Amino acid sequence: MDETYFTIGMAGHIDHGKTTLTKALTNVDTDRLKEEKERGISIEPGYAPLQTEDGAHVSIVDVPGHERFIRQMIAGVAGIDLVILVVAADEGVMPQTEEHLEILQFLGVEHCIVAISKIDRVDEDMLELVTEDIQDRLAGTIFDGAPYVAVDSLSGKGLDELKETIFRELKRVKFRDAYGSFRLPIDQVFTVQGQGTVVRGTIYEGVVQQGSQLTLLPKGLKVKARQIQVHHEEQPQARAGQRTAINLGGIDKAEVTRGDVLVASDHFVVTDTIDVALQPIEADFTPLKQRSPVKVHVGTSEVVGTIVFFDRNELAPAQEEVLCQIRLDEEIVVRRGDRFILRRPTPVETLGGGWVIQPKGAKYRFGNETMEMLQSRKEGTPRDLVEDALDKHIILELQQLIQHTSLDEHVLLDTLASGIEEGRFLEVAPKRYSLTKTLAKITDDITSRLADYHEEFPMRAGIGKAELVQSLSAAYPKPFIEYSLTALSGGGGIKKTGQFVALASFEPHLPKKWKTRMENIIAALETDGLKVKKWDEYFEGTPLPKNDIPELTLYLLNTRQAYRLLDDTLIHRTAFEEAVEKLRNGTEVAFGLKEAKDALDVSRKYLIPFLELLDGLNLTERREEQRHWTAGANKEQYLL
């Protein structure tokens, strides 16, 4: 047990000797408050270190037993690894013993030792009856078969046996993950003169170092761990399983409350809607109606909310588990698998407990479809959880996946690596992931949209990229669209021409319906050479729709089958090429208007626009009244 850390809860009915037994084991009096001393009962959880000989670091939590302090009791046992259930030999199982048992089971505490206390007050027969009573009560529960130790804290009887039993049972406990992201649910907040704000709690997972920058959730406040103490001794760090006090810098005590959570990463989600697997208690209680107010205890937080069922209209005592949702009045911090207790606000009573199957729930419809979804989510493997999150959100960064799946980072990374190797997941950017099937789906969408676009606008080079991205953005995040377009382009499925996107096999062409008419217009333009009419005049007397005139114009210009002379005039490519050759052969390196006019034999009406077109295409360069052929002016420059 080298360098392992455990927390033991001391639970049971009021005045059954929990505090006295804790003091006998640790030599620490956990009743610190003045009111606790005066009333002889524990109000707030008390903590004490248990010295061991085998390297384990153990804290004992003495939780309140009075029914009025159940809230503190739940906060105290949240995060414990083993419980010592204290039952007084002269009273046996009592109401709070029963309630503590239910709460411990709902919170997922798996390891228990029964300490039968105050044995000096009873004879052997009474001790045997109490032992049988406890055994009957634990039969069929998760604590069935738990070891029993008879003790008397004042005389010291049985204490050595209890310690040996504790150390033996702790060897069976799986210690907490110190390699996960640091999380400390806060159950106590106070100030120390000259030090400032101090918070205390049991570290659920991870490690915190002195000087670490932390975040207080759900408020999102940034703080610094100025000093760390474990059982009043300053330490450079604390880790999962340890009872820890942290002196925080940069925050006032009034800004921190019990139930807040200290974290060291962005892996945790803040939520006000949780999907849960709820196990009702078997004891009788007044049925809980649909959308009734409830009180939820999770970690160290206590929040009022509304319960929502999807397959029933009320909750009654039952053995079967119920999948449902709780919508909270305040935000909390939870991960998948976190345990909770459900209580009725008034009259106050425990209704059940369970675990969080989805930390950030949504609104669902009543019926079988939702129940099947919740059941699938509940039973999900790590891969199922990743697929579910990526299916819902399309693309997620690593920290977002941790939040949505509540998986430990190393488990998530292993799941992603194997999924990528098998072709199920994609790393679309560093630490940003998606599903292969989603890429296939968007590929179909893009291909379909482009095919439809080419059908509607066959003369265009393709759809504008911005227009395509906008049309897809309702269904896919923009980063995933960009990744998909790049993947499709690299794979030869599409091509990009400037700002346009088209299917790789597509070439702009005349529409079948008007192909002959348009070819006649193009032929007429070619025949007219340089002496062309206004472009609109070529369409006079034709049945071509007016909308197709600008389409044909752009088609000819974009495919370089024509050039624009003036805003309302085009010249066919063949006529352009012939005119360039004729002018090139009829002039020197430099020439003026007269030489050009003589070479081409056209009026200024056509000559000036043609020469300006040559300037625009960088075939010539105007210098005062002369034009010079450019050094690279040749036929290839103006051909496709």
Side-chain angles (χ1 to χ4, degrees):
M1 272 196 209
D2 185 41
E3 291 300 308
T4 53
Y5 303 87
F6 301 99
T7 300
I8 296 174
M10 193 77 70
H13 191 76
I14 184 174
D15 203 29
H16 274 207
K18 298 185 299 299
T19 303
T20 306
L21 180 56
T22 300
K23 184 176 181 180
L25 288 169
T26 67
N27 202 32
V28 175
D29 186 356
T30 56
D31 277 350
R32 306 169 316 282
L33 303 179
K34 179 181 178 182
E35 186 181 358
E36 291 177 329
K37 296 293 187 183
E38 292 174 349
R39 297 174 61 180
I41 60 174
S42 297
I43 297 173
E44 293 285 347
Y47 302 86
L50 177 63
Q51 300 298 321
T52 70
E53 298 177 355
D54 53 8
H57 303 264
V58 181
S59 297
I60 293 184
V61 183
D62 174 19
V63 299
H66 194 279
E67 60 90 12
R68 288 177 56 192
F69 306 122
I70 287 292
R71 174 173 65 87
Q72 286 90 335
M73 181 266 174
I74 294 172
V77 299
I80 70 171
D81 302 294
L82 178 147
V83 63
I84 298 176
L85 184 66
V86 182
V87 182
D90 58 345
E91 288 192 331
V93 176
M94 297 294 283
Q96 265 63 65
T97 315
E98 296 276 3
E99 188 162 24
H100 282 202
L101 270 174
E102 289 175 342
I103 290 170
L104 290 164
Q105 292 180 87
F106 288 141
L107 290 177
V109 179
E110 298 179 355
H111 302 276
C112 175
I113 298 171
V114 179
I116 304 175
S117 63
K118 304 183 180 182
I119 58 173
D120 280 3
R121 297 187 181 184
V122 299
D123 56 24
E124 287 296 326
D125 291 338
M126 184 62 182
L127 179 59
E128 186 176 343
L129 286 173
V130 170
T131 303
E132 291 176 357
D133 183 31
I134 299 170
Q135 289 173 335
D136 290 342
R137 176 58 187 88
L138 296 185
T141 73
I142 196 171
F143 300 142
D144 194 353
Y148 294 74
V149 180
V151 299
D152 188 86
S153 301
L154 297 180
S155 66
K157 287 182 181 178
L159 289 181
D160 289 340
E161 182 184 353
L162 178 58
K163 286 183 179 180
E164 291 175 4
T165 305
I166 291 171
F167 303 151
R168 183 176 67 249
E169 288 299 303
L170 286 178
K171 292 179 181 179
R172 301 174 53 234
V173 175
K174 180 181 178 182
F175 55 87
R176 296 177 181 272
D177 183 10
Y179 300 101
S181 297
F182 170 72
R183 176 167 55 145
L184 174 71
I186 296 168
D187 58 48
Q188 291 179 350
V189 187
F190 52 94
T191 56
V192 176
Q193 189 171 3
Q195 298 287 329
T197 304
V198 177
V199 298
R200 188 180 281 152
T202 300
I203 302 177
Y204 271 27
E205 54 196 319
V207 178
V208 61
Q209 309 278 350
Q210 185 173 339
S212 295
Q213 296 296 324
L214 307 173
T215 303
L216 182 73
L217 296 177
K219 300 177 180 71
L221 301 175
K222 301 299 182 181
V223 297
K224 182 178 181 180
R226 295 196 301 201
Q227 187 184 80
I228 297 172
Q229 285 192 357
V230 178
H231 296 304
H232 307 292
E233 293 184 4
E234 187 171 348
Q235 302 289 342
Q237 68 174 29
R239 60 179 57 220
Q242 283 189 302
R243 181 70 190 167
T244 306
I246 303 178
N247 176 214
L248 298 180
I251 196 167
D252 293 327
K253 176 179 178 292
E255 297 178 276
V256 189
T257 57
R258 185 201 302 251
D260 288 347
V261 181
L262 274 179
V263 301
S265 72
D266 296 327
H267 295 176
F268 299 95
V269 63
V270 174
T271 180
D272 60 6
T273 304
I274 55 176
D275 299 336
V276 301
L278 169 64
Q279 177 62 59
I281 63 172
E282 296 182 25
D284 286 340
F285 61 82
T286 304
L288 186 70
K289 301 293 185 183
Q290 172 77 292
R291 298 185 183 275
S292 290
V294 291
K295 187 173 288 186
V296 179
H297 299 264
V298 57
T300 58
S301 64
E302 174 189 6
V303 185
V304 174
T306 301
I307 193 160
V308 179
F309 302 113
F310 301 104
D311 64 341
R312 67 195 67 205
N313 290 314
E314 67 176 25
L315 179 73
Q319 291 186 343
E320 75 270 11
E321 190 176 63
V322 178
L323 303 183
C324 56
Q325 185 177 84
I326 305 173
R327 298 175 185 171
L328 306 169
D329 294 352
E330 303 172 38
E331 290 184 322
I332 60 172
V333 180
V334 291
R335 298 187 72 174
R336 175 181 166 87
D338 281 0
R339 296 281 179 161
F340 71 94
I341 300 296
L342 189 73
R343 307 192 85 213
R344 193 194 303 271
T346 179
V348 177
E349 61 180 334
T350 300
L351 300 172
W355 60 283
V356 177
I357 59 177
Q358 173 55 262
K360 206 167 185 67
K363 289 189 176 181
Y364 316 125
R365 294 181 180 274
F366 188 96
N368 291 334
E369 185 177 347
T370 294
M371 294 306 298
E372 290 172 2
M373 179 273 293
L374 291 174
Q375 185 67 32
S376 175
R377 187 167 288 170
K378 173 198 165 190
E379 298 173 354
T381 63
R383 176 172 292 180
D384 294 332
L385 296 174
V386 173
E387 287 190 356
D388 185 57
L390 291 178
D391 191 50
K392 180 178 179 181
H393 298 281
I394 308 298
I395 183 171
L396 289 171
E397 295 178 356
L398 181 64
Q399 67 183 41
Q400 293 172 316
L401 268 172
I402 294 173
Q403 291 176 346
H404 288 290
T405 63
S406 290
L407 293 172
D408 289 333
E409 185 172 0
H410 67 277
V411 174
L412 178 59
L413 288 172
D414 288 345
T415 303
L416 288 167
S418 62
I420 290 171
E421 185 177 349
E422 295 171 14
R424 301 173 72 95
F425 304 145
L426 296 168
E427 188 170 13
V428 302
K431 294 188 177 181
R432 181 175 283 188
Y433 303 90
S434 189
L435 294 174
T436 304
K437 70 176 185 180
T438 310
L439 178 61
K441 182 175 183 297
I442 195 175
T443 297
D444 290 343
D445 282 353
I446 292 171
T447 302
S448 176
R449 288 170 193 267
L450 289 177
D452 290 345
Y453 191 88
H454 296 331
E455 180 72 22
E456 185 176 0
F457 304 104
M459 291 183 284
R460 297 185 184 181
I463 188 173
K465 180 185 174 184
E467 182 181 349
L468 177 61
V469 171
Q470 180 62 34
S471 70
L472 293 164
S473 61
Y476 306 96
K478 187 176 179 181
F480 186 70
I481 299 172
E482 294 286 355
Y483 168 81
S484 304
L485 290 175
T486 301
L488 274 173
S489 179
I494 64 173
K495 60 184 177 182
K496 299 177 183 178
T497 307
Q499 62 178 340
F500 299 106
V501 180
L503 293 174
S505 59
F506 174 77
E507 292 295 338
H509 59 273
L510 299 175
K512 291 181 180 179
K513 183 176 181 180
W514 303 110
K515 184 176 181 181
T516 301
R517 301 278 187 180
M518 290 181 174
E519 286 177 341
N520 291 337
I521 291 171
I522 296 169
L525 180 68
E526 182 179 8
T527 299
D528 288 344
L530 269 179
K531 300 175 182 180
V532 290
K533 299 178 291 189
K534 289 185 177 181
W535 181 233
D536 287 349
E537 294 179 19
Y538 287 94
F539 294 89
E540 290 178 357
T542 70
L544 284 175
K546 287 185 178 181
N547 290 341
D548 278 354
I549 296 175
E551 289 291 325
L552 178 59
T553 306
L554 289 174
Y555 166 72
L556 293 174
L557 294 174
N558 290 335
T559 58
R560 293 293 179 90
Q561 295 183 57
Y563 296 89
R564 191 181 291 280
L565 277 180
L566 296 169
D567 289 343
D568 58 357
T569 308
L570 300 184
I571 179 175
H572 193 277
R573 167 179 163 177
T574 302
F576 172 80
E577 292 173 0
E578 290 176 351
V580 171
E581 289 299 309
K582 195 172 183 180
L583 182 61
R584 192 79 174 83
N585 294 331
T587 61
E588 300 298 331
V589 174
F591 61 92
L593 282 178
K594 184 179 183 306
E595 290 86 357
K597 186 175 185 303
D598 291 342
L600 296 175
D601 191 24
V602 291
S603 67
R604 290 174 64 91
K605 172 183 176 181
Y606 300 106
L607 181 62
I608 299 302
F610 178 72
L611 293 177
E612 290 177 347
L613 175 59
L614 294 183
D615 294 340
L617 293 172
N618 294 320
L619 295 178
T620 58
E621 181 181 282
R622 184 173 178 177
R623 303 175 191 170
E624 296 180 351
E625 298 302 319
Q626 294 280 305
R627 278 184 169 80
H628 295 251
W629 291 101
T630 59
N634 55 55
K635 193 172 183 178
E636 285 70 27
Q637 268 194 270
Y638 50 84
L639 294 182
L640 287 176

